[in-house]
Amino acid sequence: MRHQGKSAAPRPGTPGRLRIVAGAWRGRRIAVPSAAGLRPTPDRVRETLFNWLQGVVPGARCLDLFAGAGGLGFEAASRGAARVVMVESAARVATHLREQVQLLEAGDRIEVVADDALRYLRRCDETFDLVFLDPPFQGDLLDKSLAALVEAHCLRAGARVYVEYAASGEPPVLPDGWEIAREGRAGDSAHLLTGPIESPSF
């Protein structure tokens, strides 16, 4: 749920709301805050991702590191994730996410952290089964985040990491010992599922 920058235009079909695709909140529409460059991952991409993750999400501990509108984190919680941590650097957007969590009465499973993603990883004191990485396309935040995940030792055995990046750019530099399990493309973005090769899905 990246912040693309002030020049980014909203994706068609997402005028201020995103739809939960499946699970306990199937069909529920979540308000998207008005923020420059906020572009929720489209329904069809989320549906593809969570099809890849069938059997993984229920009971999983998830980290949505660049939460934005929260579509990936809310989708995971709807499908039975035990815990979802949403990290969002923009204070106003983080406040909006907390309001949506309250509306869903999901405060026991979803925590919103207002912090810079890399700073959060430097102080991370828990481990996760599933991580969503959808940072701004500009710059090298994606490569830095992948490296920081390894350095922080916050991945559980068999963890999966979802990555979204600009289809027109270079794919991310994966940490040593990681492989791509699945990959695809939709519009201006490409996405893949990766993780350490010892993961059962590889």
Side-chain angles (χ1 to χ4, degrees):
M1 304 297 175
R2 59 196 168 276
H3 294 269
Q4 292 281 74
K6 293 184 178 179
S7 61
R11 279 193 173 114
T14 55
R17 291 192 175 270
L18 60 86
R19 181 177 65 89
I20 302 299
V21 176
W25 303 323
R26 180 179 180 179
R28 184 78 174 256
R29 295 189 178 273
I30 305 296
V32 175
S34 177
L38 195 65
R39 302 178 67 191
T41 300
D43 289 5
R44 62 192 175 108
V45 175
R46 281 185 285 123
E47 186 170 13
T48 296
L49 167 62
F50 285 94
N51 284 341
W52 292 347
L53 294 170
Q54 283 187 22
V56 174
V57 174
R61 300 176 68 86
C62 305
L63 173 62
D64 191 355
L65 197 55
F66 298 87
L72 295 172
F74 286 126
E75 191 76 44
S78 178
R79 293 173 185 246
R83 173 166 166 77
V84 176
V85 177
M86 296 182 178
V87 180
E88 171 55 47
S89 61
R92 186 168 63 84
V93 177
T95 297
H96 174 87
L97 288 172
R98 292 191 182 104
E99 292 170 352
Q100 304 313 302
V101 171
Q102 290 179 351
L103 289 173
L104 292 169
E105 300 181 341
D108 58 332
R109 289 191 296 137
I110 303 176
E111 178 185 0
V112 178
V113 179
D115 201 357
D116 171 80
L118 296 179
R119 184 168 55 236
Y120 171 82
L121 288 177
R122 286 194 293 270
R123 63 177 180 80
C124 180
D125 59 358
E126 62 180 303
T127 55
F128 298 95
D129 303 290
L130 181 58
V131 178
F132 304 115
L133 291 180
D134 184 11
F137 284 168
Q138 302 92 341
D140 57 357
L141 266 177
L142 183 52
D143 289 343
K144 287 182 176 179
S145 298
L146 286 166
L149 276 173
V150 175
E151 293 170 4
H153 302 290
C154 60
L155 296 177
R156 290 183 160 190
R160 280 84 161 174
V161 179
Y162 169 76
V163 174
E164 192 167 335
Y165 60 99
S168 60
E170 294 295 322
V173 177
L174 299 181
D176 291 340
W178 286 32
E179 290 185 359
I180 296 173
R182 303 267 190 156
E183 56 187 325
R185 178 172 175 167
D188 63 353
S189 69
H191 45 273
L192 58 86
L193 190 66
T194 184
I197 58 175
E198 65 266 21
S199 169
S201 64
F202 292 92

